[in-house]
Amino acid sequence: MKEAAETVQAGMQPGENVYILRLYVAGQTRKSLAAFANLKKICEEHLAGIYKIEVIDLLERPQLAKGDQILAIPTLVRQLPPPLKKIIGDLSNTEKVLVGLDLRPA
């Protein structure tokens, strides 16, 4: 997993609908690592070339939890495209994540 506040960015093209995703974790726990791996896999399969993942470790930067109102971890926050969306958990349920990111109808 990347260090706190580092990003993983796919080859985005100007003018494309870009997905900006923040994954809030607390250290490199089994759940945090699973959430990152699951998110990376989902993005590669469904958002290839149009996503950016920012991993925020709240053990290192706890003040960032308040901005996105993080109450549980791991939590994924879709910053862009609007509206803002949140998904809590290790992101192992691909269908739930796709619906949560508006990539598949509910």
Side-chain angles (χ1 to χ4, degrees), residues 6-21:
E6 275 195 37
T7 60
V8 174
Q9 187 169 329
M12 293 181 277
Q13 301 299 317
E16 282 191 84
N17 232 4
V18 175
Y19 283 74
I20 307 295
L21 307 168

Side-chain angles (χ1 to χ4, degrees), residues 65-104:
K66 189 174 183 180
D68 280 327
Q69 300 175 338
I70 303 303
L71 302 174
I73 46 175
T75 295
L76 175 64
V77 177
R78 184 184 79 181
Q79 299 284 316
L80 288 175
L84 186 116
K85 298 271 190 161
K86 294 182 186 176
I87 303 168
I88 298 171
D90 67 4
L91 311 176
S92 59
N93 184 333
T94 302
E95 191 64 32
K96 179 181 171 188
V97 175
L98 293 174
V99 169
L101 293 175
D102 286 338
L103 296 174
R104 191 165 288 167

Side-chain angles (χ1 to χ4, degrees), residues 30-86:
R30 187 170 26 105
K31 252 188 155 174
S32 296
L33 294 172
F36 180 73
N38 292 331
L39 178 59
K40 186 92 164 102
K41 181 179 177 205
I42 290 167
C43 287
E44 286 299 317
E45 290 177 8
H46 299 276
L47 297 172
I50 58 166
Y51 71 92
K52 178 179 173 185
I53 299 171
E54 182 177 9
V55 178
I56 299 174
D57 188 337
L58 294 177
L59 293 179
E60 295 178 17
R61 302 175 71 190
Q63 71 278 11
L64 295 179
K66 189 174 183 180
D68 280 327
Q69 300 175 338
I70 303 303
L71 302 174
I73 46 175
T75 295
L76 175 64
V77 177
R78 184 184 79 181
Q79 299 284 316
L80 288 175
L84 186 116
K85 298 271 190 161
K86 294 182 186 176

